[in-house]
Amino acid sequence: LMLLVEECDSSVLLTGDGAWQDILDGLEAAGKLDEEGLIHVDVLKVQHHGSEHNWNAEFGRRVIADHYVFCGNGSSGNPDERVVKGIINSRIGSSRQRSKHPKVEDRFKLWFNSSSDVAKHRHESVMEGLEEAVADGEARSGGKMQSRFMRRGSSFVINLG
């Protein structure tokens, strides 16, 4: 199930387990991409737990968000570190890696529904690697990027507007 929710000036793209090209094709068919084939949403739920099989650097350059939500706890290696780094690079990487969307320079945040603190023991190392990669991205971003990993007993709310 893939769903683009728009209300007032807010938008949320729920990608389910969609493949990157299928998501772009659907957005194009619905007339949601701009003349350059790009879209900005407030919230992007990153597809298939951040699997490298469903995400692609082109997708990262064409679909940007203020908030990227990852629902994965390290199981099956997801969220995949290459996907997380790809999203970071789509916003703060080299000119070849970065999106051409006008809002690419805006602040953004990565949200994770897990962490090394709550992941099952066998998945802890995946989450530790992500935490290190994200911390590196934050340091390189000059304050443009933030992140939040779910810790034991915590929750989060994303405020739009």
Side-chain angles (χ1 to χ4, degrees):
L1 177 65
M2 293 179 268
L3 186 64
L4 175 62
V5 179
E6 298 175 308
E7 184 173 338
C8 300
D9 292 329
S10 298
S11 56
V12 178
L13 180 56
L14 304 172
T15 58
D17 286 346
W20 69 273
Q21 189 63 60
D22 294 338
I23 298 166
L24 288 174
D25 290 347
L27 291 167
E28 183 175 23
K32 297 299 179 180
L33 301 178
D34 68 14
E35 59 278 351
E36 303 296 322
L38 310 173
I39 186 173
H40 167 270
V41 294
D42 294 297
V43 179
L44 170 64
K45 191 286 185 182
V46 179
Q47 59 268 37
H48 202 195
H49 313 288
S51 171
E52 75 280 14
H53 301 293
N54 295 63
W55 191 88
N56 169 289
E58 181 181 346
F59 182 85
R61 287 188 297 273
R62 294 182 61 189
V63 179
I64 67 166
D66 296 334
H67 304 276
Y68 297 86
V69 178
F70 292 87
C71 296
N73 63 1
S75 177
S76 299
N78 293 326
D80 189 282
E81 189 173 323
R82 291 168 289 190
V83 174
V84 174
K85 287 180 175 180
I87 288 172
I88 293 168
N89 286 335
S90 76
R91 300 300 299 268
I92 65 168
S94 68
S95 60
R96 183 182 54 80
Q97 295 169 313
R98 268 193 323 271
S99 174
K100 303 297 184 214
H101 194 283
K103 291 186 173 258
V104 73
E105 297 300 329
D106 292 357
R107 294 173 52 94
F108 66 101
K109 190 166 187 174
L110 306 182
W111 301 82
F112 297 85
N113 77 325
S114 188
S115 66
S116 60
D117 181 50
V118 298
K120 291 183 180 173
H121 181 66
R122 65 184 182 272
H123 307 306
E124 188 177 275
S125 64
V126 172
M127 297 309 298
E128 287 173 346
L130 287 174
E131 290 165 357
E132 290 175 18
V134 169
D136 177 65
E138 283 188 57
R140 289 188 300 121
S141 78
K144 184 174 159 182
M145 176 186 148
Q146 295 180 321
S147 67
R148 171 88 186 269
F149 285 85
M150 190 76 73
R151 302 290 176 199
R152 196 169 309 284
S154 70
S155 62
F156 59 76
V157 173
I158 299 173
N159 293 313
L160 303 178

